[in-house]
Amino acid sequence: MKQYVVDAFTDKVFKGNPAAVCLPESWPSDELMASIAMENRFSETAFAVREPEGWRLRWFTPGGEIDLCGHATLASAYVILRFVEPDADVVRFRTMSGVLTVTRRRGDGRDGDDHAGDVFTMDFPAFDLKPMPVTDAMERALGARPVEAWLGRDLLCVMPDERTVRDLNPDQELLKDLPGLLVNVTAAGAADSGFDCVSRSFAPKLDVPEDPVCGSGHCHILPYWSRRLGCDGLVAYQASARGGVIHATVAGGRVGLGGGAALFSVGTILPD
């Protein structure tokens, strides 16, 4: 089984969010896909199979299958559009979250790399957010008190400023007791940062302490900031140790997530 490792939401290796992309000829067992994800230890390993109806995509964390993942979808589109369908600029995936479309805008091919500067934009569903009371449990788990809390698939905690988000050192065990699948923490970007918002995403329930750049988390974060700032176009920064930039649009209950990708490795899995 061919496997690619791609850093998403960046144009340089060792930045952004790494994902493994596997292209089996037919579907492995769920148990094997879960074992491969555990062996890889990335926040997500994606499996894409071309079926008669088109591409189907599934995502596995070290803790199990997940219903939506942004960076591994971007990585999968990068692999397919570069190595499998190089003449195409659009790929559509059937997933647990419906049909997801990824469009490539070709880059400038600098330094002799035909794919340098390529940007991939994903059309994702926005999560509905419901306000929640800020609790002492949130403050204990995060080490700082949010000023607002919202719940979709994930918990979204809004902090007073960017520095608070960057300095967080949360208690991973206490995070598991909070509602939601992931805990996304966000604040407005500093005036001189060039970013509308900054964030971090924690997923100990999925055996991922911190997701370096979380696309599905931004399907919570970006709708919040779009309403708060009154704009449809946003630039977001994920302030993890690796860091990553997302260029986004929010409209009609959908979120457009755009970013680059960089290939780290190509290999073969020998599951037998």
Side-chain angles (χ1 to χ4, degrees), residues 9 17 68-71 122 124-127 129 153-154 156 182 184-187 196-201 211-226 234-240 244-250 254-258:
F9 295 117
N17 199 353
L68 185 65
C69 175
H71 81 281
M122 303 176 290
F124 270 27
F127 285 99
L129 298 176
R153 182 199 69 177
D154 304 343
L156 176 63
L182 280 69
N184 300 300
V185 182
T186 188
D196 296 295
C197 60
V198 297
S199 63
R200 293 172 68 189
S201 298
D211 196 350
V213 189
C214 186
S216 62
H218 277 85
C219 292
H220 301 71
I221 296 163
L222 292 164
Y224 169 85
W225 285 110
S226 177
L234 299 143
V235 181
Y237 183 72
Q238 189 110 40
S240 65
V245 177
I246 297 176
H247 297 268
T249 58
V250 181
R254 308 290 295 183
V255 180
L257 303 171

Side-chain angles (χ1 to χ4, degrees), residues 3-9 17-22 33-34 36-47 57-76 124 153-154 181-182 201-203 205-217:
Q3 175 174 276
Y4 303 79
V5 176
V6 177
D7 292 336
F9 295 117
N17 199 353
V21 179
C22 298
M33 289 190 285
I36 291 171
M38 290 178 66
E39 186 78 7
N40 282 331
R41 299 302 299 176
F42 295 120
S43 55
E44 271 85 14
T45 295
F47 296 85
L57 182 62
R58 297 173 68 182
W59 311 277
F60 284 77
T61 75
E65 189 169 12
I66 194 170
D67 63 346
L68 185 65
C69 175
H71 81 281
T73 300
L74 191 156
S76 299
F124 270 27
R153 182 199 69 177
D154 304 343
L181 185 62
L182 280 69
S201 298
F202 306 100
K205 293 177 184 178
L206 299 172
D207 202 17
V208 178
E210 182 167 3
D211 196 350
V213 189
C214 186
S216 62

